[in-house]
Amino acid sequence: MIACLADARGRGDRGARGGRSAGRARFTGRSGEAGEAPVSALAERARAVPGFKAESGETLPLGREGVALGLGKGGSLSPSTMRTAAAKLVRALDRMSLHKVRLFFADPLPLRDGKGTPLDPALLGRAFGEGLALANWRFDAFDGSASKRTPAQRPLSIGIDDADFRAGVEHGLLLGEAVNLTRRLGATPPNICHPEWVVRTSRRLARELGLRCRVVDFRSAERMGMGGLLSVGRASASKPAIVVLEHAPRTIAPAARREHLVLVGKTITFDTGGYSLKVNNGMKGMKYDKMGGMAVLGAMHAIARRRLPVRVTGVLAVAENMVGGDAYRPDDIITLHNGVTVEVTNTDAEGRLVLADALSYACRHLAPTAIVDMATLTGGVVVALGHFCAGYFCGDPTLTSRLEQASCESGERIWRLPLWPEHRDFMRGDHADLINSNPQRSAHPIQGAAFLSYFVEESVPWAHIDIAGMDSVEHPTDLFVTGPTGYGVRLLADLAEGFTQRAPRAASA
Ligand code: BES
Ligand code: ZN
Ligand code: ZN
């Protein structure tokens, strides 16, 4: 299959806005009559070029008239191949310095994939839009006077005629923008992005998005007995906080009348490990220890922008894990928000301490009907699952199905891991109710989940998603430059969207 992109160079608006606005893929809507050169003629020319196989993502410049984009064999088309093809197209357009193009399909989009599964043009369009937005981004906020890098991509605008596909592209671009917000915050270094900066930024975003923002600051956290958050964040010059962002739309979908989804994110702006200090360069990259919370923020952005008719609240547990005279220590015994006591065995297992207070706060104060937390919690999940998917834990069959569905729709992979009573026993302490890490070094991702389970009320469906392998990439891929990926934004936004409809059939628990 081939899509042809006719260059709109002749229309006098190419490169109208120069400048450095990375990450902006703009969509121009209906583009009118087919381009100056008939699409079929462009496609024929492309097919006649020896070596051009129209494989998915393969691009071929066609002189002044435009560029052909291969989409592979019709049967192999899927949201995933569309996303990657769009990303490759962005790179090609960038090489050709084209920023305003119109897209035409030389062949009609197939109705089914190779396995006979129906293909929805809106889903294909959405994936295409995501690919455009994700590939058209890099972090250039700190390009200084010595920077020799090429300027960031200029705005890219694409006109598309197919109405369903176009609606999908608009959805994809909106999601891409939310993911890119998460990536930008993620890439912001810890000397700037510290807890108080996160609080200020959340307040500003909430104002822009029409979300309500409440903050549990250091003093309130003390009054509320949040010993986990306070201990972890105490040694930082920038004090810890819980940020609460509420999306409470006037219109609620009938299926969502009773629902209140709460999304909780680990937001450690930098993790030194504390006195259980990280060694051998293990600290480098720990600015990404905030990516769970940044994914929640990005998801709230998408949820608000799409005006989803369901109540959703985002909760960020924000702290910086530092050393200093007043830092918490191994052997400390602390009392958390729900009265559970914890002996600290390892100050580097800090994420579960801040999340525990946030989860308990959510249960006590927000009346959730489902809670999902997202966290870069353990290196162990990377050992177990690599960088291919996140690991998750969920004991509720309906929430499990909703998550699996959101994962299918977003293409953000998750894999379920076990959490049994024996795992919960493994976290019991001799000197306090719990220990934060068992010195028998095994099943680390499950230990994290087991620990957290003591802070969620049993009646509330809950899932914990460990994204430690997914928050950033060290080498560029088709979709992502080196740096934060914004993983989880689309998964959580799709999960929220799923709550506007009746629950899918429950998976086995
Ligand atoms: N932030 C880390 C987890 C992490 C490690 C994320 C590597 C991304 C890459 C977390 O706070 C941590 O240090 N976890 C410890 C837990 C252990 C002390 C029980 C770990 O995974 O080693
Ligand atoms: Zn840690
Ligand atoms: Zn951490």
Side-chain angles (χ1 to χ4, degrees):
M1 280 193 68
I2 298 182
C4 286
L5 290 107
D7 178 9
R9 210 183 295 236
R11 301 184 159 220
D13 45 5
R14 178 198 166 228
R17 278 153 280 100
R20 301 163 67 80
S21 42
R24 232 175 282 143
R26 205 162 58 81
F27 173 69
T28 56
R30 194 172 172 76
S31 58
E33 82 292 351
E36 294 79 33
V39 185
S40 53
L42 284 177
E44 282 322 307
R45 269 182 53 202
R47 282 198 184 96
V49 172
F52 180 70
K53 296 204 184 76
E55 272 165 13
S56 189
E58 193 181 352
T59 51
L60 178 73
L62 292 171
R64 283 182 53 80
E65 283 109 324
V67 48
L69 170 69
L71 293 174
K73 299 219 166 53
S76 64
L77 205 65
S78 70
S80 164
T81 61
M82 264 296 189
R83 198 177 287 116
T84 309
K88 289 185 171 161
L89 172 67
V90 170
R91 313 256 183 255
L93 292 179
D94 209 41
R95 279 195 301 274
M96 296 162 68
S97 284
L98 290 182
H99 299 284
K100 189 169 175 73
V101 287
R102 299 166 57 208
L103 173 76
F104 307 98
F105 292 107
D107 315 286
L109 284 171
L111 299 174
R112 291 178 184 278
D113 69 9
K115 290 187 197 136
T117 316
L119 279 172
D120 178 354
L123 277 183
L124 294 177
R126 169 187 157 169
F128 197 83
E130 288 176 6
L132 293 178
L134 297 180
N136 194 37
W137 183 90
R138 79 169 173 78
F139 187 60
D140 63 352
F142 292 91
D143 282 8
S145 57
S147 178
K148 291 207 169 54
R149 295 196 293 180
T150 50
Q153 292 91 335
R154 281 175 280 173
L156 173 71
S157 66
I158 298 207
I160 298 164
D161 277 358
D162 185 297
D164 290 337
F165 190 83
R166 191 171 66 227
V169 172
E170 263 178 294
H171 182 187
L173 287 178
L174 181 149
L175 289 170
E177 211 180 297
V179 176
N180 289 343
L181 162 74
T182 292
R183 293 164 88 189
R184 179 163 57 77
L185 298 173
T188 305
N191 55 327
I192 291 168
C193 178
H194 48 73
E196 285 157 18
W197 187 90
V198 172
V199 171
R200 279 202 301 278
T201 303
S202 305
R203 282 210 162 101
R204 182 174 52 73
L205 280 169
R207 255 196 317 278
E208 286 167 17
L209 295 167
L211 299 168
R212 183 164 172 225
C213 180
R214 279 186 284 167
V215 176
V216 179
D217 63 10
F218 192 80
R219 295 273 294 279
S220 323
E222 271 181 333
R223 271 200 302 278
M224 295 172 112
M226 294 185 168
L229 182 83
L230 294 167
S231 299
V232 172
R234 206 167 49 207
S236 170
S238 185
K239 291 299 168 229
I242 302 271
V243 175
V244 183
L245 297 161
E246 290 175 29
H247 169 73
R250 258 185 239 130
T251 319
I252 301 280
R257 288 266 148 76
R258 278 184 238 286
E259 301 286 5
H260 182 202
L261 173 65
V262 173
L263 307 173
V264 179
K266 168 177 171 180
T267 316
I268 297 293
T269 59
F270 194 72
D271 183 10
T272 65
Y275 276 107
S276 314
L277 203 61
K278 288 187 183 289
V279 291
N280 295 338
N281 221 18
M283 218 181 280
K284 184 78 185 75
M286 277 301 142
K287 68 171 178 179
Y288 297 137
D289 214 17
K290 57 181 182 273
M291 292 316 290
M294 295 304 98
V296 169
L297 208 55
M300 294 306 294
H301 188 279
I303 289 163
R305 282 276 152 86
R306 271 180 73 71
R307 300 175 197 279
L308 290 189
V310 54
R311 231 181 120 206
V312 186
T313 300
V315 178
L316 314 188
V318 199
E320 186 182 29
N321 190 18
M322 297 291 275
V323 291
D326 54 353
Y328 79 135
R329 298 152 283 247
D331 281 353
D332 281 0
I333 293 180
I334 58 182
T335 305
L336 273 60
H337 179 253
N338 64 350
V340 171
T341 56
V342 179
E343 179 178 1
V344 177
T345 47
N346 191 323
T347 61
D348 199 10
E350 83 298 335
R352 61 200 70 182
L353 296 172
V354 302
L355 279 177
D357 277 335
L359 289 168
S360 164
Y361 171 88
C363 288
R364 290 264 169 97
H365 297 281
L366 301 177
T369 58
I371 303 189
V372 176
D373 78 72
M374 188 167 271
T376 48
L377 207 72
T378 65
V381 83
V382 193
V383 176
L385 299 174
H387 300 280
F388 306 103
C389 64
Y392 84 102
F393 304 81
C394 185
D396 181 82
T398 307
L399 185 57
T400 300
S401 305
R402 286 195 187 280
L403 275 166
E404 291 289 343
Q405 185 165 322
S407 172
C408 275
E409 278 165 11
S410 62
E412 295 200 305
R413 288 198 175 119
I414 54 174
W415 193 257
R416 190 161 158 240
L417 298 170
L419 174 50
W420 294 312
E422 291 83 345
H423 295 122
R424 301 187 78 225
D425 292 343
F426 203 49
M427 303 313 290
R428 299 221 78 121
D430 290 328
H431 310 295
D433 296 335
L434 302 177
I435 46 178
N436 74 332
S437 172
N438 194 308
Q440 288 180 48
R441 298 165 50 80
S442 65
H444 272 318
I446 313 184
Q447 284 194 39
F451 180 90
L452 293 175
S453 70
Y454 286 93
F455 301 89
V456 183
E457 279 167 21
E458 255 177 60
S459 58
V460 183
W462 162 66
H464 160 61
I465 309 178
D466 193 336
I467 63 164
M470 305 302 288
D471 57 296
S472 58
V473 286
E474 280 177 22
H475 305 286
T477 66
D478 288 329
L479 286 167
F480 302 111
V481 287
T482 301
T485 58
Y487 175 93
V489 172
R490 286 171 290 151
L491 177 71
L492 295 178
D494 277 329
L495 178 70
E497 191 134 1
F499 271 83
T500 65
Q501 288 143 26
R502 291 250 309 279
R505 273 216 1 239
S508 59

